[in-house]
Amino acid sequence: MEHHHMHGTYDVLLVILSLIIAVAASYTTLDLAGRVAMTSGKNRTRWLILGAASMGMGIWSMHFVGMLAFSLPVPVSYDLFIVILSVIIAIAASFVALYVVGRKQLKLRQLLVGSSLLATGISSMHYVGMEAMLIDITYEPIMFSVSILIAIVASIAALWLAFYFRKENEKYAVSKKLASGVIMGVAIVGMHYTGMEAAQFHMVDEKLTVAGMSLDQRLLGYVITAGTMLTLGLSLIGIFVDKRLSRKDSHIRKNEKWYRSLYENNRDGILSVSLSGRIIGFNPAATKITGLEEDYFYNRSIIDIAPIVVEEERKRTKRLFLRSLRGKTISYETAIIHQNGSLVHLSVINVPVYVEGKIVGHYVIAKDSTREKKAEQKIRHMAFHDELTGLPNRRKFDQVVVQAIEKYKSSDHTFSVMVMDIDRFKMINDSLGHAYGDRLLQMVTQRLHDAISGYEATIARMGGDEFTVVCFGSKSHIEPISSEIASRMLKEAQLPYHLKDNDFYISASIGIAIYPEHGTESAELMKNADTAMYEVKKNGKNGYQYYSEHLDAHLLERIELEADLRKAIQRNELIIYYQPQIHAQNSSLIGIEALLRWNHPTRGIISPSTFIPIAEESGLIVEISEWVMRQACLQMRKWQQEWELYIPVSVNLSTQQFHQNNLAHKVEQILLEVGLEAKYLELEITESMMMDICRSTSTLQELKDLGVRISMDDFGTGYSSLNYLKMFPIGKLKIDQSFIRDLTNSESDKAIVATIISMAHHLKMNVIAEGVETAEQLAFLKESGCDDIQGYYFSRPLPAKELQQVFLGKCKQDGKVGAAEF
C-alpha cells in the first residue's frame, strides 16, 4: 500500500482552551497536594484517589483537546478502548505525583524517581492517546526525544513546585500557586505540542474499516473543555469548602489539644463531675495525689471518694462541695489520706461548667499543698521555738504565762516562773568555741526535760544560757513542787558533760517567782525571778531562791555598781594592793601578787568578789585586766629602779582575757612600754581556762616563749587537773586557801595538801600555799615541803606605798629578798 503524507492545521481557539485547561489542572494539582499533605489515614487515601482522578482528567482533557485542535484533510475516528486506556494512564501518573509531593520530606532521589514516573506516565498517556486515532502515524525521532525531555523537565518542575507551594497559610499562597500553575501548564502544553509536531500522519490508498467514534472535532473539543473546567471548578470548590471545614475542624482540634494538654499535664488533680455527681473525667495528677487507681474513678459517684477525706474535714468538705452545685465557685482547704497512709493537704476549688447558660457539671481542682503546709508549720514553729534546742522561745513563753494568768485569775491553782542561768557557761563557750557551747546547751535541755518529767511544767530558752520554766500546781503545793523541780534541775546540771574528749562540770543559779504573790503580769514575774536568780549568783551560785521584796534593793545596787564601774577607770577609782609571797624555809621575799580593789567614792573599798562578776557580765573585765597588768608591771619596774627589787609580780588573768587571740602580743606590748623583762611577770591562770586543750596549749606556749612565768591558781578546786599539769607549760601550783583554812583540824585536807606538794615536786613544779594565817598551818606546810607561802601570817594585801614602808624596807635590811629564778 502506498502512503501519502498529510499536513494538518490547528484550531487556535481550541489550542488556547487546552492551555487554559493545563493551567487550571496545574493550579488544582497544587491545591490537591496541600490537601494530601495535611491528611492521614483513610482521608489521605481518599484525597489521593480523588486528586489523582481530577488531576489525571485535567491533564488528559488538555491532551485530548489539543489533539482535537489539530485538523487533518480527512475525517479521523478514535479507538474508544485506547482513549479510555490513555485516561487511566493519566490518572495513574497523577496518583504517583500526588503521592510523592504529599510526603513530609522530598529528597532529591525521591524527586527524580517521582519525576521519571510522572514523565513516563504523561508521555505514555500522550502517545497512547495518539494511537487512538485511526490513522497511520510515524514520529520524527528528534522531536519525539525533545518531547520526552520536555515531559521529564515539566515533571520535575511540577513536582517541586507542588511540594514547595502546598502550604496554604503562607503569605501570597494563592498568587504563588497561580504563577506556578501557569509555569506547569505551559510546560505540559509544550510537551504535548512538541509531541504533535513529531507526529507524521499518512493516508493509505485502501481505507480500512475500523470500529471507532467519529464526531465533530470542534464541538467535541468544546464539550470536553466545558466538562473538564466544570470538573476542575467543582474540585476547587470542594477543596475550598474542605479547607474551610478543615480549618474549623483544625481549630477545634487545636483547642481540644490545648485543653487536653492543660488537663492531662496539669500538676493539680482535676475531676470532671456531672450534675448527677458522676465522675466523667479525671487527669493523671488526680490518681497521683490520691494514690487511687484509674479504675476507681471511672463512672463513680463523687461521694464514693469521700472516705479518703480525713474524718474531721468530711462534713465541711461535703457542705462546700454541694454549694458549688448552685453555680458558685468555691475555694477551700481540706486534707485526705493517701493510699500509702500519708496525710495530704489540699487546696480545692470547685468551678461550675456552663453550656448555653446552663450548669452541666463542674470541675473539682485540687492542688497538693502539703509542702506549703509543712513550710507554714515550720515557719510558725520557728517563730515560737528556739532553733538550737527546739524549746519554746521568749515569745512563746510570754504567751504561756499570759494564758496562765488569764486562766488562774480566780482559781485554786497557780503557777511559778523559774529563771535558770548556767554558771560558767561563758567560760566553756569561750574556751571550746561556739559549736561545743551549742552542744552543751542541747545536753542541758535534755537534762531539764528529765528534771521536769512527771510534773506539769513547760521549759523555754530565753537566749544564751538562760532557761525558764513555768510550773503549774495548786496554791498549797506550788512552792514544794517548784522547790523539788529546782533541786532536780540543779542536780541534773551538775552531772559531768563529755565534750571534746573531756568531762566538764557546770552548775546553775535559779530564781523563782510565784503568781500572784510575786507579780500579776508576765514582765513583772520574769523580772522578779531574774532578781532572785542574780541573788543566787551573788551568794556563790549553784542554788535556787524565791523572790522577796528586799531583793529589789540588791538588784538596784548591782545596776548602780555596773554604771559606776564603767566610770571607775577614768576616775582613777581602781587601785592595786600587793601581797608578799615568802619562801617557806628561809622567809625571804620571792614574789608579790597584784590584787585589784575598787575605792568607791561613797562606798569605800569594794571587794573583787562583788564587782568582778559584774565586770565579767558587762564585758568590762578585759579592759580592767589589761589596766591591772600594766599598772603592776609599772610598779615592779619602779621597785627595780628604786629598791633593786628583782622578783616577779603575779597578775591574775581573766577568762575572757586569756581567750583573746592576740594575748601574747598584748602582753609583749605592755612589757615593752613599761621596760620590764618578761621573767619578772608571772601570770596566774585557773583550771577552768584550760578546757580547750589545743587552744590553751598554743596560748600558754606563746607566753612561755615570751619568757613570762605561768602558775596555776586555785589548784584542786576544778576538774581534770592532772591532765592539765601533764600537757601545759606550768611552772608553779598555788594551793587554794579552802584546803589551808582547816588544815590543822582536817586530816583530809592534810592528805590533799601533802599529795599536791609531792605530785608537783615530781612534776618539777614549785608549790605555793595561799591563805596561810597561823603558825600551825605554816609548820605543816614546811614539814610537807611546800616551797612558798602567801597569807595574812606574813602580810595582808597592802597599797604599794604602805607595802614599801611596812614590809619591803625590812626585807631589804634583813637581806631577805630572794632571787628572780625559781
Side-chain angles (χ1 to χ4, degrees):
M1 290 184 293
E2 183 180 352
H3 291 73
H4 299 284
H5 180 66
M6 291 185 294
H7 297 279
T9 60
Y10 283 100
D11 186 326
V12 176
L13 183 57
L14 289 178
V15 171
I16 294 171
L17 288 176
S18 70
L19 176 60
I20 292 172
I21 291 172
V23 172
S26 298
Y27 181 85
T28 305
T29 300
L30 293 174
D31 252 11
L32 287 168
R35 289 290 88 199
V36 172
M38 289 175 62
T39 55
S40 60
K42 292 181 179 180
N43 285 335
R44 178 181 173 85
T45 303
R46 282 196 291 266
W47 273 109
L48 274 171
I49 295 172
L50 177 63
S54 179
M55 177 181 173
M57 285 301 297
I59 295 174
W60 179 84
S61 297
M62 172 265 140
H63 156 76
F64 203 73
V65 170
M67 288 176 58
L68 293 175
F70 183 75
S71 298
L72 290 170
V74 297
V76 178
S77 298
Y78 296 85
D79 188 321
L80 184 61
F81 175 76
I82 297 177
V83 169
I84 293 172
L85 179 62
S86 68
V87 172
I88 293 172
I89 293 173
I91 293 173
S94 299
F95 185 90
V96 171
L98 288 175
Y99 181 80
V100 171
V101 298
R103 302 168 71 93
K104 290 184 178 180
Q105 290 184 336
L106 182 61
K107 296 181 179 178
L108 179 62
R109 183 170 175 272
Q110 295 169 339
L111 176 64
L112 295 176
V113 171
S115 301
S116 300
L117 292 173
L118 180 60
T120 302
I122 292 173
S123 300
S124 299
M125 180 270 301
H126 175 79
Y127 287 108
V128 168
M130 294 288 288
E131 286 299 312
M133 298 177 68
L134 298 178
I135 191 169
D136 287 341
I137 304 174
T138 59
Y139 295 97
E140 199 277 318
I142 295 177
M143 294 302 291
F144 177 83
S145 300
V146 170
S147 71
I148 299 298
L149 180 61
I150 291 174
I152 294 173
V153 174
S155 297
I156 293 174
L159 289 186
W160 187 83
L161 290 170
F163 179 81
Y164 185 75
F165 292 117
R166 68 184 183 179
K167 294 181 182 178
E168 299 173 3
N169 50 359
E170 285 189 349
K171 193 175 183 181
Y172 308 120
V174 174
S175 301
K176 291 179 179 178
K177 286 181 184 178
L178 185 59
S180 302
V182 171
I183 294 172
M184 290 171 62
V186 170
I188 293 170
V189 168
M191 177 268 161
H192 170 79
Y193 287 108
T194 303
M196 290 293 289
E197 188 67 25
Q200 296 178 350
F201 300 94
H202 306 278
M203 188 166 95
V204 296
D205 291 335
E206 296 180 8
K207 289 194 94 148
L208 298 174
T209 304
V210 181
M213 63 176 181
S214 180
L215 297 172
D216 184 283
Q217 288 185 223
R218 189 179 183 87
L219 179 61
L220 183 60
Y222 293 153
V223 171
I224 292 175
T225 299
T228 302
M229 293 303 289
L230 179 62
T231 302
L232 292 177
L234 290 174
S235 296
L236 288 173
I237 291 172
I239 292 171
F240 175 77
V241 172
D242 183 71
K243 283 181 182 179
R244 293 295 298 270
L245 294 175
S246 295
R247 285 196 189 103
K248 188 174 182 180
D249 290 343
S250 176
H251 183 69
I252 293 171
R253 286 194 300 271
K254 185 177 181 181
N255 286 341
E256 184 179 357
K257 285 180 180 178
W258 274 82
Y259 162 75
R260 294 306 304 177
S261 178
L262 176 65
Y263 193 85
E264 298 293 339
N265 298 313
N266 203 310
R267 295 175 65 180
D268 298 340
I270 304 175
L271 298 180
S272 302
V273 184
S274 68
L275 275 181
S276 63
R278 289 282 168 184
I279 299 173
I280 58 176
F282 58 91
N283 68 345
T287 62
K288 183 179 179 181
I289 290 173
T290 61
L292 297 170
E293 299 291 337
E294 291 185 0
D295 294 341
Y296 189 89
F297 288 103
Y298 281 116
N299 205 32
R300 285 286 191 98
S301 171
I302 190 72
I303 303 301
D304 292 342
I305 66 172
I308 70 172
V309 179
V310 294
E311 189 172 354
E312 57 270 24
E313 290 287 343
R314 284 177 194 167
K315 287 185 179 180
R316 188 178 70 89
T317 301
K318 182 179 179 180
R319 185 179 72 254
L320 293 169
F321 172 78
L322 293 175
R323 282 179 60 188
S324 68
L325 297 179
R326 298 195 291 269
K328 291 185 178 180
T329 299
I330 306 295
S331 300
Y332 54 92
E333 303 285 328
T334 189
I336 64 171
I337 302 298
H338 193 277
Q339 293 305 290
N340 62 13
S342 62
L343 178 68
V344 179
H345 292 277
L346 297 178
S347 294
V348 183
I349 179 170
N350 289 358
V351 182
V353 178
Y354 288 89
V355 175
E356 297 180 355
K358 294 183 179 180
I359 299 175
V360 296
H362 53 275
Y363 292 120
V364 179
I365 305 172
K367 177 184 179 182
D368 184 349
S369 59
T370 305
R371 183 176 294 180
E372 289 84 348
K373 281 287 182 185
K374 287 182 178 179
E376 287 177 12
Q377 291 170 359
K378 184 176 181 181
I379 292 170
R380 193 178 299 112
H381 184 273
M382 289 173 63
F384 291 97
H385 290 79
D386 174 53
E387 185 177 1
L388 176 65
T389 62
L391 292 174
N393 59 14
R394 182 183 294 274
R395 186 182 292 108
K396 181 66 175 176
F397 181 81
D398 288 340
Q399 280 188 358
V400 171
V401 174
V402 169
Q403 290 169 1
I405 291 172
E406 189 65 30
K407 182 178 180 180
Y408 298 124
K409 273 183 177 178
S410 301
S411 173
D412 291 334
H413 282 68
T414 187
F415 64 93
S416 64
V417 174
M418 310 171 73
V419 175
M420 186 189 90
D421 190 80
I422 301 174
D423 304 326
R424 306 173 74 217
F425 171 75
K426 185 170 180 58
M427 175 184 58
I428 295 175
N429 196 53
D430 291 343
S431 300
L432 302 185
H434 293 298
Y436 286 97
D438 290 347
R439 179 64 187 136
L440 175 63
L441 291 173
Q442 291 171 337
M443 296 169 75
V444 169
T445 299
Q446 183 57 52
R447 294 187 184 186
L448 292 180
H449 278 300
D450 295 339
I452 68 168
S453 178
Y455 292 94
E456 187 183 357
T458 300
I459 310 170
R461 182 185 175 212
M462 308 303 280
D465 60 338
E466 185 177 309
F467 294 83
T468 54
V469 177
V470 181
C471 175
F472 303 93
S474 64
K475 288 183 176 180
S476 58
H477 292 91
I478 190 63
E479 189 167 332
I481 291 173
S482 300
S483 297
E484 176 63 25
I485 290 178
S487 298
R488 292 178 65 171
M489 289 165 61
L490 292 172
K491 184 178 179 181
E492 289 285 345
Q494 290 178 50
L495 295 174
Y497 298 83
H498 192 72
L499 298 168
K500 215 171 184 181
D501 300 324
N502 285 286
D503 287 336
F504 297 92
Y505 296 81
I506 63 170
S507 60
S509 299
I510 302 173
I512 309 172
I514 298 176
Y515 173 83
E517 289 90 333
H518 302 148
T520 56
E521 294 182 358
S522 175
E524 185 180 9
L525 288 167
M526 280 293 298
K527 180 181 93 54
N528 292 339
D530 210 46
T531 300
M533 182 269 291
Y534 276 112
E535 186 67 13
V536 176
K537 283 187 172 292
K538 178 183 175 183
N539 295 328
K541 306 177 181 179
N542 193 28
Y544 69 88
Q545 181 168 324
Y546 287 88
Y547 170 77
S548 61
E549 291 185 1
H550 80 273
L551 294 180
D552 285 334
H554 294 294
L555 178 61
L556 182 60
E557 178 184 8
R558 183 184 176 279
I559 295 172
E560 291 175 350
L561 280 175
E562 181 179 334
D564 291 343
L565 184 58
R566 293 183 180 277
K567 305 169 186 175
I569 297 178
Q570 289 80 8
R571 293 176 177 177
N572 295 318
E573 295 173 3
L574 297 179
I575 57 175
I576 300 176
Y577 280 32
Y578 296 91
Q579 187 173 33
Q581 296 175 336
I582 308 300
H583 192 279
Q585 302 304 322
N586 59 24
S587 299
S588 61
L589 179 65
I590 54 88
I592 295 175
E593 182 178 6
L595 299 169
L596 180 63
R597 299 291 185 268
W598 180 11
N599 187 10
H600 194 277
T602 58
R603 301 171 187 264
I605 299 297
I606 299 177
S607 168
S609 62
T610 300
F611 71 83
I612 289 298
I614 297 175
E616 289 175 340
E617 291 172 16
S618 62
L620 294 170
I621 191 66
V622 173
E623 181 184 356
I624 292 173
S625 298
E626 289 183 8
W627 180 86
V628 171
M629 187 183 299
R630 182 175 282 101
Q631 295 304 312
C633 290
L634 278 169
Q635 185 60 59
M636 180 50 66
R637 181 57 183 150
K638 185 177 180 181
W639 280 331
Q640 288 180 351
Q641 293 171 340
E642 296 178 2
W643 291 74
E644 296 184 355
L645 189 65
Y646 292 97
I647 57 175
V649 60
S650 298
V651 177
N652 289 283
L653 284 178
S654 68
T655 302
Q656 293 180 37
Q657 186 183 21
F658 180 76
H659 290 297
Q660 287 182 300
N661 293 327
N662 58 347
L663 174 62
H665 177 66
K666 288 194 173 183
V667 171
E668 184 178 20
Q669 278 187 319
I670 291 173
L671 291 172
L672 290 173
E673 288 175 16
V674 172
L676 183 68
E677 291 184 57
K679 64 181 179 179
Y680 295 115
L681 174 63
E682 181 173 284
L683 298 178
E684 294 189 8
I685 61 174
T686 60
E687 296 173 60
S688 59
M689 299 178 188
M690 306 293 106
M691 294 180 178
D692 187 344
I693 293 177
C694 294
R695 185 175 176 184
S696 300
T697 301
S698 174
T699 301
L700 290 174
Q701 193 58 53
E702 289 176 1
L703 293 171
K704 191 72 175 177
D705 294 342
L706 194 61
V708 172
R709 305 181 185 203
I710 308 294
S711 66
M712 182 172 284
D713 194 12
D714 301 333
F715 184 78
T717 61
Y719 305 95
S720 306
S721 302
L722 296 179
N723 191 38
Y724 297 150
L725 294 179
K726 179 181 69 175
M727 300 194 66
F728 300 138
I730 299 171
K732 182 190 288 187
L733 295 184
K734 179 179 280 190
I735 302 174
D736 188 69
Q737 60 183 341
S738 61
F739 297 108
I740 306 300
R741 189 176 300 115
D742 297 324
L743 189 60
T744 54
N745 301 320
S746 172
E747 293 300 320
S748 297
D749 285 347
K750 286 182 179 180
I752 291 172
V753 171
T755 301
I756 292 174
I757 293 171
S758 175
M759 177 192 64
H761 287 164
H762 279 89
L763 293 173
K764 308 267 190 249
M765 296 181 185
N766 274 24
V767 181
I768 182 171
E770 66 175 349
V772 179
E773 298 180 357
T774 66
E776 291 80 5
Q777 293 170 344
L778 177 61
F780 178 81
L781 291 169
K782 282 184 177 182
E783 184 181 341
S784 300
C786 184
D787 300 293
D788 305 316
I789 307 296
Q790 180 178 342
Y792 277 36
Y793 181 81
F794 293 98
S795 174
R796 62 184 176 84
L798 298 170
K801 289 184 178 180
E802 191 173 343
L803 183 70
Q804 291 172 194
Q805 296 170 358
V806 174
F807 201 83
L808 294 185
K810 189 173 183 301
C811 288
K812 192 75 172 171
Q813 183 179 351
D814 296 341
K816 291 188 176 181
V817 177
E821 281 74 22
F822 288 123

